């Protein structure tokens, strides 16, 4: 088990899933705590990695739900900000394959209001890796503050970024303009194949990885759903197969994959620096573990990552 903490910075979102109503002209919503960074923090804690979440949690009904959920999973909220703004709400509709289409209610909500003062006192001396991304890294007014925090943290911790592109909320050109700087900050860039198609349309996987390596990210991992994942370490690449499972929905699967990847690397003592000695076989082993974690997340409803005790025996050779 990792003895060094992984710190996650970002949003916690109320995921409201549409359900058939019992009466006509009505709509039932089933609300679960979600948001990419929060899902990753929860998954890390459940896997056994000390996980701290830097978040701005509202005092509203959703914020209280978030806090209870995070604490029940063992996430350290000692530096979470008690925010006066409302929580972010995402309404999700699932298709026949369990893929979610979202509409967001995110105007002036708590997650994007970071100030330098709120992050100034965060001690990273026990943090092996700082993971962030998604909307908190790109939504104003707090995005610049988060980037500044990453720049400071990069001198003492491995930096992991998941762009988690949301074109309904942020223009794609904004992501494209920011991504080169993020790659310069990041040691690990984890993104989905859908993110890749949005950011670099009609660009082959290998070529996209080389673009991001050239911008500064030594490790790029592209998750491809049922087609597994591509890991690229400074241009040396390997395909890792997906783990077969009965899919209920895919909500939170990418976040769980990221947590599995970081947990495995951290437990092996491979986080905490610039990944200078990292080997591709070590990355592939971590990705295979991450694929098991993601598969278990897909087998249940909503962003509900597995606990360490739920991992199947077939991961015993790669589990740590």
């Amino acid at each position: 088990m990792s003895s060094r903490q992984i710190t996650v910075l970002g949003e916690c979102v109320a995921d409201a899933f549409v359900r058939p109503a019992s009466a006509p002209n009505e709509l039932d919503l089933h609300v679960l705590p979600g948001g990419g960074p929060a899902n990753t923090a929860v998954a890390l804690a459940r896997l056994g990695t000390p996980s701290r979440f830097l978040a701005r949690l509202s005092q509203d009904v959703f914020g209280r739900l978030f806090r209870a959920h995070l604490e029940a999973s063992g996430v350290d909220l000692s530096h979470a900000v008690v925010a006066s703004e409302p929580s972010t709400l995402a309404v999700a509709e699932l298709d026949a394959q369990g893929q979610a289409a979202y509409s967001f209610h995110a105007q002036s909500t708590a997650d994007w209001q970071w100030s330098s003062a709120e992050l100034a006192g965060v001690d990273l001396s026990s943090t092996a890796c700082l993971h962030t991304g998604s909307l908190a890294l790109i939504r104003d007014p707090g995005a610049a503050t988060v980037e500044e925090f990453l720049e400071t943290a990069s001198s003492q911790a491995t930096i992991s970024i998941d762009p988690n592109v949301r074109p309904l909320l942020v223009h794609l050109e904004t992501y494209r303009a920011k991504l080169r700087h993020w790659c310069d900050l990041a040691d690990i860039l984890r993104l989905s194949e859908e993110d890749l198609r949005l950011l670099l349309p009609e660009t082959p996987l290998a070529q996209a990885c080389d673009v991001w390596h050239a911008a500064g990210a030594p490790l790029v991992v592209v998750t491809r759903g049922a087609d597994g994942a591509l890991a690229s370490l400074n241009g040396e690449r390997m395909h890792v197969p997906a783990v077969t499972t009965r899919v209920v929905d895919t909500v939170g699967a990418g976040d769980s994959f990221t947590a599995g990847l970081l947990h495995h690397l951290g437990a092996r003592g491979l986080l905490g620096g610039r990944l200078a000695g990292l080997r591709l076989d070590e990355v592939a082993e971590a990705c295979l573990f991450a694929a098991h974690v993601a598969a278990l997340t897909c087998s249940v409803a909503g962003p509900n990552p597995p606990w360490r005790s739920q991992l199947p025996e077939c991961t015993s050779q790669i589990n740590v």
Side-chain angles (χ1 to χ4, degrees):
M1 181 181 294
S2 172
S3 59
R4 293 193 66 192
Q5 183 181 69
I6 292 180
T7 296
V8 181
L9 189 160
E11 67 266 20
C12 196
V13 174
D15 282 340
F17 293 88
V18 177
R19 289 183 168 181
S22 56
N25 303 317
E26 292 183 3
L27 190 66
D28 284 346
L29 297 177
H30 179 62
V31 179
L32 296 173
N39 295 340
T40 301
V42 166
L44 282 165
R46 291 183 180 186
L47 290 172
T49 287
S51 170
R52 176 174 58 170
F53 189 38
L54 306 181
R56 302 187 83 258
L57 300 179
S58 176
Q59 300 178 75
D60 63 17
V61 63
F62 297 130
R64 296 193 295 273
L65 174 69
F66 301 158
R67 187 174 290 273
H69 170 65
L70 291 155
E71 290 177 340
S73 294
V75 177
D76 177 2
L77 295 179
S78 58
H79 282 80
V81 174
V82 179
S84 59
E85 301 88 358
S87 298
T88 305
L89 176 66
V91 179
E93 291 187 84
L94 300 176
D95 64 17
Q97 287 73 46
Q99 297 279 348
Y102 288 95
S103 61
F104 290 91
H105 304 266
Q107 186 66 34
S108 301
T109 51
D111 302 283
W112 337 123
Q113 314 302 320
W114 285 105
S115 68
S116 297
E118 290 171 337
L119 292 173
V122 178
D123 181 7
L124 294 174
S125 60
S126 298
T127 293
C129 177
L130 173 62
H131 172 75
T132 189
S134 198
L135 291 165
L137 186 56
I138 201 166
R139 290 271 292 183
D140 292 330
T145 298
V146 175
E147 282 194 352
E148 290 170 5
F149 184 69
L150 287 183
E151 291 169 359
T152 301
S154 65
S155 65
Q156 53 190 308
T158 301
I159 302 298
S160 169
I161 292 178
D162 173 5
N164 196 14
V165 178
R166 298 295 188 190
L168 290 177
L169 288 177
V170 179
H171 291 302
L172 287 175
E173 288 307 318
T174 304
Y175 281 103
R176 292 170 184 149
K178 291 277 191 180
L179 190 58
R180 181 170 294 275
H181 180 50
W182 294 348
C183 287
D184 185 51
L185 292 172
D187 303 291
I188 301 170
L189 179 70
R190 203 292 301 177
L191 68 169
S192 69
E193 192 170 31
E194 181 181 359
D195 291 335
L196 185 155
R197 287 196 297 267
L198 291 169
L199 294 168
L200 293 175
E202 300 182 9
T203 303
L205 270 171
Q207 183 180 338
C209 290
D210 288 340
V211 168
W212 295 323
H213 289 320
L219 176 58
V220 178
V221 179
V222 182
T223 51
R224 308 180 64 204
D227 292 325
L230 178 72
S232 184
L233 181 62
N234 292 314
E236 188 181 5
R237 287 181 265 274
M238 178 177 288
H239 175 262
V240 178
V243 173
T244 302
T245 190
R246 182 184 66 88
V247 175
V248 174
D249 66 49
T250 62
V251 178
D255 310 320
S256 289
F257 185 100
T258 299
L261 175 69
L262 297 179
H263 166 80
H264 196 280
L265 292 175
R268 294 292 178 93
L270 299 172
L271 299 177
R274 302 281 74 83
L275 309 181
L278 187 63
R279 305 190 312 268
L280 186 61
D281 64 306
E282 293 170 326
V283 174
E285 188 178 64
C287 285
L288 182 57
F289 177 84
H292 281 275
V293 178
L296 284 172
T297 302
C298 290
S299 70
V300 297
N304 187 13
W307 295 82
R308 183 182 178 87
S309 60
Q310 294 175 283
L311 291 170
E313 292 183 6
C314 61
T315 63
S316 60
Q317 296 303 311
I318 55 172
N319 198 3
V320 285

